[in-house]
Amino acid sequence: MRRHSYRDRLTSPLPGPRDFVRIMREGGFRGSTANADRIPVMRTGLPPLPPGAASWTWIGHASYLVRVGGLCVLTDPVWSTRLPGTPPRLTPPGLSWNDLPAIDAVVISHDHYDHLDAPTLRRLPRNTPILVGAGLGRWFRVRGFHAVTELEWWEHTEIAGVRFDFTPTHHWSRRGLFDTCASLWGGWVITAPDGTRTYHAGDSGYGHRFAEVGARYPGIDVAMMPIGAYEPRWFMRYVHMTPAESVRAVADLGARTMACMHWGTFVLTKEPVDEPLQLVRKEWAAAGGDPANLWSLAVGETRTLGAGDE
């Protein structure tokens, strides 16, 4: 069966053979884990949610549990200890799988293994609503999921009054050898009936699409933004942001609060494992951001908005 291609959505060329030869010559992708003990971990369980409030719990990497509008939503859930081609996980998942509440929806940004983790997804009931980009639904349906919704950029769906919009990012997709850009990558804007609005960037390089999202969806309360996996810059700059670029992207989005992710879990690239946290705090301060609006969370930490907790 001929696959659809989304290569026309790329904003930069994909790496070629010469790039991979160079990266291997320079020592590969993996950085040192020497400072892994500096990654904060707070596995104290999931606190009760006050009526009318929303909360964000960092599970690790790009995985968050978001409780908003009466729903419990998982973003890019990864509970695996190891992913194909990567060293073992540096920090445990912020919540035990058995401590999760019933999951009302799962949003997937794209099909790379650190965002679409098959062993984790197998743990979910097959009637769990799964929201994905166009072209990725079949992956779930052949595994027995039957409440799967595929969306194009700027399309939306609703679950129990909560709206989910799929939005453009600067990235790409590939699961195997022959499916490059066969499914659509993106981020998610989640809007509750009371107007609480959150954004999950998935994976992205820096570019104009953040301003486009901000213009279409004003009033983002919390933006979950990647801050790691950015070195070497010559290779990663088109698909992963530095902490400085993530801070700039939050400004483009017009978001009030930045919740950090995509660091401190797997060693994917060359920067020291604790560097993203140091740099994002520095860049946020340099941009004049309110320290209270930078959520540089510990693994397992929960922050709450609403019901007197703002």
Side-chain angles (χ1 to χ4, degrees):
M1 183 177 67
R2 183 179 177 83
R3 295 179 183 270
H4 186 84
S5 175
Y6 294 94
R7 285 179 180 266
D8 62 324
R9 310 296 181 89
L10 295 170
T11 50
S12 60
L14 294 177
R18 290 184 179 180
D19 298 305
F20 286 99
V21 169
R22 177 180 171 184
I23 201 76
M24 292 300 108
R25 190 168 60 240
E26 293 180 359
F29 292 101
R30 309 293 178 241
S32 170
T33 61
N35 295 330
D37 60 340
R38 297 181 181 176
I39 301 168
V41 177
M42 186 186 296
R43 295 188 87 219
T44 54
L46 187 64
L49 186 66
S55 74
W56 292 255
T57 303
W58 189 37
I59 305 302
H61 204 55
S63 305
Y64 266 86
L65 172 66
V66 182
R67 294 181 289 176
V68 64
L71 300 187
C72 294
V73 181
L74 282 179
T75 70
D76 290 356
V78 177
W79 262 256
S80 290
T81 301
R82 191 161 193 164
L83 303 175
T86 68
R89 192 177 187 123
L90 293 174
T91 49
L95 292 173
S96 166
W97 185 264
N98 292 330
D99 289 339
L100 285 174
I103 300 303
D104 299 297
V106 174
V107 296
I108 301 293
S109 63
H110 64 298
D111 66 359
H112 289 160
Y113 282 88
D114 57 325
H115 295 258
L116 176 58
D117 182 49
T120 298
L121 292 164
R122 279 198 295 267
R123 297 181 174 193
L124 290 167
R126 294 304 184 268
N127 63 349
T128 304
I130 307 289
L131 310 183
V132 299
L136 192 52
R138 183 178 182 276
W139 190 94
F140 287 89
R141 294 186 186 100
V142 299
R143 288 161 177 81
F145 290 93
H146 52 82
V148 182
T149 301
E150 295 184 52
L151 298 176
E152 262 279 359
W153 287 346
W154 309 124
E155 290 184 340
H156 74 275
T157 190
E158 288 192 7
I159 298 175
V162 177
R163 174 167 164 153
F164 296 80
D165 288 75
F166 192 53
T167 59
T169 57
H170 300 271
H171 205 60
W172 64 301
S173 66
R174 186 175 71 186
R175 190 77 181 170
L177 293 176
F178 306 108
D179 61 353
T180 299
C181 297
S183 61
L184 194 56
W185 55 94
W188 292 94
V189 174
I190 304 171
T191 308
D194 67 359
T196 300
R197 176 166 280 169
T198 189
Y199 170 74
H200 185 271
D203 245 351
S204 185
Y206 179 74
H208 66 277
R209 286 173 172 162
F210 292 105
E212 292 177 355
V213 172
R216 285 181 181 242
Y217 306 99
I220 294 172
D221 295 289
V222 177
M224 295 165 274
M225 301 296 291
I227 64 169
Y230 49 79
E231 291 289 351
R233 226 41 225 129
W234 67 265
F235 191 94
M236 293 292 172
R237 68 183 184 273
Y238 298 120
V239 293
H240 288 162
M241 292 185 286
T242 64
E245 289 171 329
S246 288
V247 169
R248 185 178 174 188
V250 169
D252 293 347
L253 289 163
R256 181 178 63 174
T257 297
M258 174 176 176
C260 302
M261 66 176 190
H262 208 271
W263 78 281
T265 310
F266 299 104
V267 180
L268 302 177
T269 49
K270 296 288 279 187
E271 75 272 4
V273 294
D274 62 330
E275 183 180 89
L277 181 60
Q278 299 172 26
L279 290 183
V280 76
R281 289 170 172 169
K282 176 182 176 182
E283 297 294 341
W284 189 261
D290 184 340
N293 291 338
L294 176 64
W295 292 358
S296 50
L297 303 184
V299 174
E301 185 176 357
T302 298
R303 294 287 180 92
T304 303
L305 290 181
D309 293 320
E310 295 187 68

